[in-house]
Amino acid sequence: MNPSPPLISAIIPCLNEELTLGICINKAMASFTQRGVKGEVIVGDNGSTDKSVEIAESLGARVVHQPTRGYGAALSAAAGAARGKYIIMADADDSYDWSQLDCFIDTLENGADFVMGNRFAGGIEAGAMPPLHRYLGNPVMSGIARWLYRSPIRDFHCGMRGFTREAFQKIAARSTGMEFASEMIINAQGCKMSMTTPFAYLLVSGCCFVGHNITMIALNALHVPLWSSVLLSFGIVVMLGYILHSLITFERSFSASVFMRYAASMSFNIPLTFATTWFWYCWIGFSMSVASPLASICMVLLNYLLSRWAIAPSGKKKVIDL
């Protein structure tokens, strides 16, 4: 009878890292124990001539020998041997904290396919990164890469990452050297494993905002009662919002059940729209051309949260930047 596979595979590329490899392995093993999950550590050895292989095996790690030299080659070999549902990668020099796996595991368990570390958000130890890289090189290169590939990743070169085994296979990075790390992110974008971009949501919200206000102003000019105007506008905007969010923001096919859930979630807007519009239009005395946009602004955040809950696919097409 085959033993059950581990939940987590920690993969570590290695070339003569005898001074720090044991520290990384022990930290990863301790993380598995602390969380109460079954995990494994796989070392992708790139031809070490020191005691790295001996240390890894003595601590219970599996060693995969990769004769082809390079960071990407070593990681690919280790990932190919991984049996876990989730794979987490980081270097063997203890520059990344292998004891901090919980945030990666939590995010993957919540449905992400690919999780990136962010050293700028998580803190950089003194001396861990040269000042020129920290304040100029990395931010500039990450910014250029985000713009070129429309990626949400803030720290493009962070080497600590987590992903599902299926996601790694879809990403299909082939580089053998350090460019492997960048290829992973670029390919993830090509596989549509991208998180919803702010621009996409703002575009759809802007269309709904304009559609709602044109409807409200036109119906007011026709002397339609406020309550009826809100209901009519709701019907138009829900249909428009669902179509645009499905096509642009969350990239999923149309579904009657999802539309009903979206419409139900958006129904919270009916009393809110009526109350805020009544306040600006009837109580304060603004014209409808002013009152309706003011009321709409109150609903932007609520609409984002509700539409994401209703339409966003669970566990698919997500790249998360921690």
Side-chain angles (χ1 to χ4, degrees):
M1 185 168 131
N2 293 328
S4 61
L7 179 68
I8 309 295
S9 293
I11 62 172
I12 307 175
C14 175
L15 176 61
N16 296 328
E17 299 283 2
E18 64 179 6
L19 297 179
T20 53
L21 178 60
I23 298 173
C24 297
I25 294 173
N26 283 329
K27 284 182 177 180
M29 295 287 196
S31 292
F32 301 150
T33 302
Q34 182 177 2
R35 191 175 178 93
V37 299
K38 186 175 181 180
E40 64 176 357
V41 177
I42 304 172
V43 175
D45 186 70
N46 223 189
S48 295
T49 56
D50 62 3
K51 295 182 179 180
S52 295
V53 172
E54 180 183 337
I55 291 170
E57 292 177 338
S58 69
L59 294 175
R62 282 198 292 140
V63 178
V64 178
H65 298 279
Q66 173 57 282
T68 302
R69 286 297 179 95
Y71 173 79
L75 278 172
S76 293
R83 297 183 299 117
K85 179 180 180 181
Y86 305 125
I87 300 173
I88 299 176
M89 59 176 267
D91 296 343
D93 60 359
D94 199 31
S95 57
Y96 297 98
D97 191 354
W98 274 104
S99 66
Q100 301 297 317
L101 300 186
D102 277 350
C103 55
F104 287 88
I105 298 172
D106 287 340
T107 309
L108 290 166
E109 290 275 65
N110 286 333
D113 290 317
F114 185 17
V115 185
M116 280 287 299
N118 185 346
R119 292 166 292 179
F120 299 101
I124 301 174
E125 296 289 340
M129 185 185 295
L132 187 63
H133 293 183
R134 180 174 182 176
Y135 298 108
L136 180 62
N138 201 337
V140 170
M141 294 302 293
S142 293
I144 292 172
R146 288 177 63 209
W147 177 73
L148 284 175
Y149 300 105
R150 298 183 180 180
S151 170
I153 301 303
R154 298 282 176 179
D155 186 0
F156 216 76
H157 304 288
C158 182
M160 193 167 192
R161 308 170 180 195
F163 35 85
T164 65
R165 197 155 42 137
E166 293 77 12
F168 183 78
Q169 292 169 354
K170 290 179 182 178
I171 289 170
R174 295 288 181 262
S175 301
T176 58
M178 291 301 297
E179 64 274 15
F180 178 89
S182 298
E183 186 184 1
M184 284 185 70
I185 302 174
I186 295 167
N187 288 4
Q189 292 297 116
C191 291
K192 298 292 185 182
M193 293 180 191
S194 56
M195 198 170 183
T196 304
T197 61
F199 176 77
Y201 177 72
L202 290 174
L203 175 64
V204 175
S205 294
C207 292
C208 293
F209 182 93
V210 172
H212 167 70
N213 286 291
I214 289 176
T215 302
M216 291 296 293
I217 294 169
L219 292 175
N220 179 71
L222 296 172
H223 305 291
V224 176
L226 180 59
W227 185 254
S228 299
S229 298
V230 170
L231 289 176
L232 287 169
S233 176
F234 171 78
I236 294 171
V237 171
V238 162
M239 183 63 70
L240 176 65
Y242 173 72
I243 293 172
L244 293 179
H245 276 311
S246 296
L247 291 175
I248 300 174
T249 312
F250 303 111
E251 297 179 350
R252 68 170 298 166
S253 57
F254 297 119
S255 164
S257 61
V258 173
F259 172 73
M260 294 305 296
R261 184 168 65 172
Y262 177 69
S265 68
M266 290 296 106
S267 66
F268 286 102
N269 282 307
I270 295 175
L272 179 62
T273 302
F274 178 79
T276 52
T277 306
W278 181 89
F279 174 78
W280 294 113
Y281 180 66
C282 300
W283 184 264
I284 301 299
F286 288 157
S287 66
M288 185 58 73
S289 60
V290 175
S292 182
L294 286 174
S296 300
I297 291 172
C298 300
M299 300 184 294
V300 171
L301 178 59
L302 176 64
N303 283 345
Y304 171 69
L305 296 174
L306 291 175
S307 58
R308 181 169 181 177
W309 168 80
I311 302 178
S314 175
K316 300 294 182 184
K317 301 182 180 178
K318 291 184 183 177
V319 174
I320 312 293
D321 181 31
L322 291 177

